[in-house]
Amino acid sequence: MTAAAILEGPVTAGVSIRPLLEIDGVSHVYRSALGTETTALDGVSLSVARGEFVCLLGPSGCGKTTLLNMIAGFVTPSSGRITVDGETVRGPSPSRGVVFQDYSLFPWLTAGQNVAFGPRMAGQGPAARRQTARELLALVGLPDAADRYPAELSGGMKQRVAIARALATDPAVLLMDEPFAALDAMTRAALQRQLLAIHEARSKTVLFVTHNIAEAITLGDRVVVLSPHPGRVAADVTVDLPRPRRRTAPGFNALYAHLADAIGAETTE
């Protein structure tokens, strides 16, 4: 199939082959108060090169968010190891910026103050962090929103602020957990385009969780499919379609069908 190639490793054209993020044999078991165990992930291994945009794709319950939370340092693996730039992940760090589906902005802070929060915690002075906030709000298309509170912003605007906030500490990797899932189709498409522009401008390494096949194809240099119960890597596919990618482009639908087959999904999304 010309639209995709199954890879043995994360070699992507134009991207360094030295992994920035390495996930080595990671498993996670949830234990309930009653002593029952549920294996969310089993033996997941994955490498992401510096500057690569990788989409984690799979149905609900396949462990996508659990894996992202382990990379972020919010959850400890039951076994295996995760490293970022050679350092073992042992907890949250400014080197890993996270964007959640529900925005998670501080409602009592303005957009500018939300973006400046990370630099403030890192000890950056007031003038420098205000400048950081201005630059990043402009980068995400909100140059005039610094003094507005989250309640005054639309869902798409809130998510732009959340992306700016995640970028404010200049993280090595940007972790995004279905950040556009709650948005309408037009806003979602606009933010996808903006995210790709930011990725290109800042050369950020991005790990993007989605259950939307078309979104994964639109955004990713690679698409990693997780199978459910427990989550395992079912396929690792490089996307060789030129950007911008459209559903009518040659190869898009063939790749869509290939990924849908890999996750056992209907191809009517």
Side-chain angles (χ1 to χ4, degrees):
M1 182 172 63
T2 60
I6 307 299
L7 299 180
E8 295 297 328
V11 181
T12 301
V15 179
S16 168
I17 62 172
R18 179 183 176 183
L20 173 70
L21 168 65
E22 293 187 85
I23 302 163
D24 184 15
V26 165
S27 299
H28 187 71
V29 178
Y30 287 105
R31 294 177 175 85
S32 74
L34 299 176
T36 59
E37 296 185 349
T38 301
T39 302
L41 292 164
D42 183 28
V44 172
S45 293
L46 173 67
S47 295
V48 178
R50 193 178 303 273
E52 195 172 20
F53 196 128
V54 174
C55 289
L56 278 179
L57 176 68
S60 297
C62 71
K64 303 185 300 296
T65 294
T66 296
L67 182 58
L68 199 81
N69 283 337
M70 287 194 290
I71 299 166
F74 302 147
V75 174
T76 301
S78 300
S79 61
R81 184 175 183 233
I82 299 173
T83 60
V84 175
D85 215 5
E87 297 291 326
T88 299
V89 172
R90 303 190 188 280
S93 166
S95 69
R96 283 161 271 127
V98 185
V99 180
F100 302 96
Q101 181 178 336
D102 61 357
Y103 322 126
S104 298
L105 299 178
F106 300 122
W108 59 88
L109 299 180
T110 64
Q113 290 168 338
N114 266 282
V115 176
F117 183 81
R120 178 185 173 189
M121 293 297 99
Q124 195 175 93
R129 63 179 183 255
R130 282 195 297 269
Q131 179 63 23
T132 296
R134 283 195 296 267
E135 290 177 355
L136 289 173
L137 286 171
L139 180 68
V140 299
L142 295 174
D144 302 317
D147 296 326
R148 298 173 66 179
Y149 287 89
E152 303 174 84
L153 304 175
S154 68
M157 295 170 75
K158 289 176 186 176
Q159 202 57 292
R160 285 183 169 94
V161 174
I163 293 170
R165 184 179 64 178
L167 291 170
T169 57
D170 192 24
V173 59
L174 187 61
L175 306 171
M176 309 187 77
D177 188 10
E178 302 198 57
F180 307 148
L183 304 176
D184 65 84
M186 291 182 64
T187 302
R188 185 174 193 152
L191 285 181
Q192 288 170 351
R193 291 191 295 271
Q194 193 157 41
L195 177 59
L196 286 173
I198 292 169
H199 170 64
E200 182 176 353
R202 295 293 178 107
S203 299
K204 282 295 173 191
T205 306
V206 180
L207 190 65
F208 187 103
V209 166
T210 182
H211 65 269
N212 185 297
I213 299 172
E215 181 168 67
I217 298 171
T218 298
L219 295 175
D221 297 316
R222 284 165 60 210
V223 179
V224 176
V225 178
L226 294 185
S227 62
H229 313 304
R232 297 185 177 99
V233 174
D236 189 343
V237 179
T238 192
V239 183
D240 61 8
L241 302 175
R243 291 189 174 101
R245 298 168 184 160
R246 304 184 188 283
R247 286 293 298 262
T248 55
F252 193 109
N253 287 325
L255 180 52
Y256 187 105
H258 177 73
L259 291 170
D261 183 65
I263 64 175
E266 297 293 333
T267 57
T268 57
E269 183 180 283

